[in-house]
Amino acid sequence: MTFPTRLTAAALCGAVVAFVPATASAHAGRGALLDVVPVSTMDTSQLVSYLGDYDLDASRVRFGVDAKRIVYRTIDPAGKPTTASALVASPRNNGRSPRQVTWLHGTTGYRGSVASVADGNDRAAALLFASAGYLTTAPDYLGLGTGPGFHPYADAPSTVTASVDALRATRKLAARLDLRPDPRVMITGHSQGGHATMALGQALHRGADPGLKLGGLAPISGPMRPSRLVAQGANDEIANGVAYLAYWTVAWNRLHHLYDHPAEAFKDPSIEGLFDGEHRNEEIFSKLPGTISELFTESYLARVKHPTGVLRAKLREADGYCDWRPRVPVSIYSSTGDEDVTIETSAHCDQRLEQYHAQSTLIDLGADVNHGRAAKLALPRILAEFNRG
């Protein structure tokens, strides 16, 4: 649930935004591949250097990688047809049936900072897995990358539909390349993507697509109990809580109508406009106040601290993505040094999974490991774990 540690972004030069008419045939075409744009090609020596620039262990680089941005059909939170983009990274080897990984990224307010359009930590994560032989899909989610509209931040159901459809589109791209990917999908992600890892895993477990199977789960520093993170943020008890709760309020108002006018929630109503997908993360942070009491009106802050109605119901729903029994081992990575998303939410997920008799392990990366560094330390371990699976 964090804004990227390295705030790099690329202009959407050459990006394709496809708008899909709301027709029954379009709805039936979820996962249809609409466009493919080459992003990068690297050999092994280039990858070692590239991954090193992002402080990622490159010792398991085995193959060169071709990375492409895809645009595909999916649905919005209301079930209406739309489009989304994703990065697909494929290993340059002779294998015709590659195993699959999905990388789910953390919080970003800027559409141009996602893996399909910008160099950054998330593209590096995808290339790490691809360089080890995995066909890797990194969804941008709705409203980010080249996708139209606003991003429904921290909305697990729409993150799941966009991610499942990205995997379907990846399968169609693979067919063009004469590949038949292993249907098992190893899922991992950081922060917002950690929570999404459990949600997507649950969807595949329940048969969201008959051609996709759950292969492994490894969330990193995810807000596994969002209601707890909201409560901590409302009391200024976590780092960057102002940014998280501002973004969350704007996004969930679009989904669940929490207020009629931004002045009801924000002391500075212009804050709502920062979360339109067009403002870079640096600009968003520079215009936010330092404390929650400076951000929210007294009445709205009281609602956040004591949620009722739809807000309470949706938070409870968001809390429930660890309440099931995966048929694969789950490795939950977190760190006691994380001041953004505290380790207690990962511990909560671990405990819930164990209550459902799942095989779950909580890995504490250390008291000196902050939120951003957690992914860099966890990724090589997750890759080794997936290789054993």
Side-chain angles (χ1 to χ4, degrees), residues 162-376:
S163 298
V164 169
D165 291 341
L167 287 165
R168 289 170 172 155
T170 296
R171 191 165 56 201
K172 292 177 173 62
L173 177 61
R176 292 186 186 182
L177 302 173
D178 195 28
L179 301 176
R180 295 185 177 181
D182 188 316
R184 293 172 297 174
V185 182
M186 320 299 279
I187 308 172
T188 182
H190 178 236
S191 196
Q192 178 187 354
H195 184 260
T197 292
M198 296 306 300
L200 178 58
Q202 184 185 68
L204 295 190
H205 171 82
R206 293 178 174 176
D209 186 291
L212 299 169
K213 307 297 180 184
L214 177 59
L217 286 169
I220 310 167
S221 302
M224 303 306 195
R225 193 179 181 186
S227 66
R228 178 59 180 155
L229 267 292
V230 168
Q232 290 176 313
N235 289 315
D236 283 318
E237 294 173 355
I238 57 173
N240 298 311
V242 168
Y244 296 142
L245 264 62
Y247 197 2
W248 168 74
T249 291
V250 172
W252 277 35
N253 180 63
R254 293 170 182 148
L255 293 170
H256 309 304
H257 192 71
L258 304 180
Y259 55 81
D260 291 319
H261 187 275
E264 296 172 26
F266 297 106
K267 289 185 175 179
D268 177 0
S270 69
I271 283 175
E272 183 183 70
L274 297 175
F275 298 99
D276 59 358
E278 307 301 332
H279 289 74
R280 294 177 181 270
N281 297 325
E282 304 96 324
E283 183 180 1
I284 293 171
F285 272 101
S286 71
K287 294 184 178 180
L288 291 174
T291 66
I292 289 294
S293 61
E294 293 173 296
L295 175 71
F296 289 140
T297 62
E298 290 185 12
S299 60
Y300 183 77
L301 182 56
R303 289 181 59 195
V304 172
K305 290 184 175 183
H306 307 286
T308 59
V310 67
L311 183 56
R312 182 182 182 185
K314 291 300 177 180
L315 282 170
R316 284 184 173 180
E317 179 183 313
D319 283 349
Y321 288 101
C322 296
D323 293 347
W324 58 292
R325 184 183 180 182
R327 297 191 184 98
V328 298
V330 184
S331 296
I332 305 172
Y333 290 83
S334 189
S335 56
T336 50
D338 191 336
E339 296 181 350
D340 289 60
V341 181
T342 59
I343 195 171
E344 69 178 89
T345 67
S346 290
H348 169 80
C349 184
D350 180 54
Q351 292 163 4
R352 295 299 297 168
L353 288 167
E354 289 183 353
Q355 288 177 20
Y356 279 81
H357 306 290
Q359 184 180 340
S360 176
T361 304
L362 175 63
I363 299 101
D364 183 355
L365 295 167
D368 61 340
V369 177
N370 64 22
H371 190 63
R373 187 165 171 244
K376 297 178 185 297

